[in-house]
Amino acid sequence: GSDINLFNTRHGILERALRPASQMFEYCCVDPLGEYVLYAWAGRSYFRRLPGGEPLRSTLLGDLAEVPVISPSGSGMLALIPPESYRVRLWDPVKEVLLGEKVVCDEKVALIGGSFSVDGSLLALGDTAGFVHIFNVPSLTPHSLVKGHETGLVACQFAETKFPPQLLTASEDGSVTIWNVAKKSGQYNLQCGSALEYAVISPNALFVAAFEGDKCRVFDKKGACKFSFPAYHSEASCIASFSPDSRMIALCGSEDCRTISIWNITSGQLQHGWISNVEEPLLMLSFLPTGDLVSADESHTIRLWTLPKKSSHALVTRTSSVDQVQYTTDAKHVIVGSSAQPGCEE
């Protein structure tokens, strides 16, 4: 079966457990405003209002297996990219309206994902040919198209700056560009390695964390490498998160993915000597807007860490797996998605 668990992070309690599907769902995400949760299974997407879980209208989208979901914008809109696709669909789940569908690039090119600007007015999409496509939201009219890189993109992410909106794009060849979207031009060009796997921009757009092998190197906007930290990967993805004030970065600090380390970007030292171990390999690590930390590991446990202390309390789910963890922008709720294998007892 499939479970979606809604936790209250302030009191550390399970507020509601939804069992919306009779089989494994393909993905699950939450609106940052905390108004709805989206999940999909059997080629159909479903929306439920929060916190009660009342169903909204479901809409057939075709085969949604392994659909990359672009995180909902601050205004509640959602962008979906079908597998290996060159088109995008824009939804308003609360109003239950398909706002538009756009063919973004040539059929021989696939989109790798993208990001909404912090105010939800722009949607940036990167593709495997190195182009960056930026659209106005919700009209999906073109804002700009830039040839950002010579090889396919591995990251396309807006910083949290409102004006001017700044966008990070990173390519497999190690090139990283920070775009001034208002001027439709690359503002900073960095070379962050030769075989880049992923990159993340800090909320204030002053730093870039680039991942290559077992290292995370932090660069300033001028391309100077500030520090190099040991950082490891889970089987699913790179595990890293900048703090809301952009002064710290949390990383998976051991090869077995059982260590959390928090580094000070200015000094290059462990923040307050902060390093802690978890029992099972990490699946996800992220700062909350409050400055605290949330982690998920393979023991199906969500931990909320109080900083700068090393204390934590666990939110143990009722499920046999944890696949996705997201939280609302006010940090009051964490959404946990799980998809148990058929035949497993919940």
Side-chain angles (χ1 to χ4, degrees):
S2 298
D3 285 355
I4 299 173
N5 299 307
L6 177 66
F7 288 98
N8 183 304
T9 56
R10 178 173 296 179
H11 299 103
I13 60 173
L14 176 65
E15 283 197 354
R16 188 171 299 276
L18 306 177
R19 290 179 178 266
S22 59
Q23 55 185 282
M24 290 189 299
F25 55 76
E26 283 85 19
Y27 61 78
C28 170
C29 70
V30 62
D31 162 34
L33 300 179
E35 293 185 349
Y36 69 86
V37 62
L38 161 70
Y39 62 94
W41 62 279
R44 187 180 289 268
S45 68
Y46 297 86
F47 303 96
R48 286 178 179 259
R49 292 190 184 276
L50 294 177
E54 296 84 4
L56 301 178
R57 185 180 64 188
S58 61
T59 306
L60 184 64
L61 297 178
D63 182 11
L64 290 181
E66 301 179 0
V67 172
V69 178
I70 299 176
S71 297
S73 72
S75 58
M77 283 174 289
L78 178 76
L80 296 177
I81 303 174
E84 299 180 358
S85 179
Y86 49 89
R87 68 186 189 277
V88 64
R89 296 185 178 103
L90 184 66
W91 292 87
D92 186 331
V94 175
K95 295 181 179 178
E96 304 182 37
V97 173
L98 173 63
L99 299 173
E101 182 172 359
K102 191 79 172 182
V103 174
V104 178
C105 49
D106 186 85
E107 295 183 8
K108 298 179 181 179
V109 178
L111 297 172
I112 60 97
S115 173
F116 282 103
S117 61
V118 68
D119 63 358
S121 65
L122 297 172
L123 172 63
L125 303 169
D127 67 30
T128 54
F131 283 90
V132 183
H133 311 257
I134 303 176
F135 297 95
N136 295 300
V137 174
S139 64
L140 286 182
T141 55
H143 175 278
S144 53
L145 169 65
V146 291
K147 174 64 174 177
H149 305 271
E150 296 302 320
T151 58
L153 299 184
V154 295
C156 181
Q157 176 200 357
F158 272 105
E160 294 181 12
T161 54
K162 291 186 178 180
F163 188 82
Q166 297 183 75
L167 175 73
L168 171 138
T169 58
S171 178
E172 299 167 348
D173 61 8
S175 62
V176 173
T177 300
I178 299 176
W179 302 87
N180 184 326
V181 178
K183 294 183 178 180
K184 304 180 182 180
S185 62
Q187 190 172 12
Y188 299 96
N189 295 295
L190 296 70
Q191 188 61 39
C192 299
S194 57
L196 206 60
E197 297 170 55
Y198 194 63
V200 182
I201 192 168
S202 63
N204 63 7
L206 295 181
F207 302 102
V208 172
F211 295 85
E212 186 174 2
D214 59 359
K215 293 186 182 299
C216 168
R217 290 186 290 173
V218 176
F219 296 82
D220 62 20
K221 296 176 83 170
K222 296 181 180 179
C225 181
K226 304 289 289 183
F227 299 104
S228 179
F229 305 121
Y232 299 87
H233 304 236
S234 71
E235 293 182 0
S237 63
C238 299
I239 300 175
S241 179
F242 278 104
S243 61
D245 60 9
S246 302
R247 295 180 179 179
M248 298 177 289
I249 186 170
L251 301 169
C252 177
S254 63
E255 191 170 359
D256 61 3
C257 290
R258 286 182 167 88
T259 303
I260 302 171
S261 57
I262 300 179
W263 299 87
N264 185 293
I265 299 298
T266 303
S267 67
Q269 303 297 315
L270 285 171
Q271 181 75 9
H272 302 298
W274 211 102
I275 188 167
S276 188
N277 297 321
V278 292
E279 294 181 1
E280 298 294 334
L282 290 164
L283 296 173
M284 172 271 208
L285 187 64
S286 182
F287 275 101
L288 291 170
T290 57
D292 291 332
L293 195 68
V294 60
S295 68
D297 61 44
E298 291 184 4
S299 69
H300 324 140
T301 300
I302 314 301
R303 287 193 174 276
L304 298 174
W305 302 85
T306 301
L307 302 181
K309 301 177 181 179
K310 297 181 182 179
S311 61
S312 69
H313 63 273
L315 309 175
V316 181
T317 70
R318 297 178 180 176
T319 65
S320 56
S321 67
V322 172
D323 299 321
Q324 292 176 323
V325 180
Q326 290 189 328
Y327 50 84
T328 55
T329 50
D330 60 8
K332 290 183 178 179
H333 293 93
V334 170
I335 305 296
V336 180
S338 68
S339 55
Q341 296 297 325
C344 292
E345 294 184 0
E346 292 296 331

